[in-house]
Amino acid sequence: MPAVEIEYCVPCGFRERALDVERAILNGVEGELDRMSLVMGDHGVFRVDVDGETVYDKDEDDYDVDDIVRRVRERL
């Protein structure tokens, strides 16, 4: 089963954003996942990976929780 990893910048205060995305993903596809992890980072990072493939990166994409969940669902 797939694994989702959310890496977020601690100094930037992205923890709540990461928790919101985690909650939304679990509400949408919890039964299809093997693992969900939060990874603390820095340097402005906010990225969501499914099995090592990036489906959202704040440097490249607009922040939209529903869109992130849709992207995760497409990778499953």
Side-chain angles (χ1 to χ4, degrees):
M1 290 181 84
V4 174
E5 179 177 284
I6 301 169
E7 184 177 7
Y8 66 98
C9 178
V10 173
C12 302
F14 290 163
R15 181 180 55 161
E16 287 304 315
R17 182 181 286 196
L19 291 170
D20 289 343
V21 170
E22 178 186 48
R23 188 175 306 109
I25 291 171
L26 288 174
N27 285 338
V29 296
E30 181 175 19
E32 300 174 50
L33 299 178
D34 183 43
R35 185 179 70 227
M36 167 74 81
S37 18
L38 295 175
V39 177
M40 294 177 283
D42 53 16
H43 302 293
V45 68
F46 193 87
R47 184 173 50 241
V48 179
D49 296 341
V50 176
D51 289 336
E53 282 193 51
T54 301
V55 296
Y56 172 82
D57 187 326
K58 81 162 189 61
D59 290 337
E60 300 170 10
D61 306 299
D62 292 329
Y63 178 74
D64 179 333
V65 175
D66 294 333
D67 185 51
I68 295 170
V69 173
R70 231 181 338 271
R71 291 175 186 209
V72 168
R73 186 176 281 124
E74 287 172 4
R75 288 280 186 204
L76 300 179

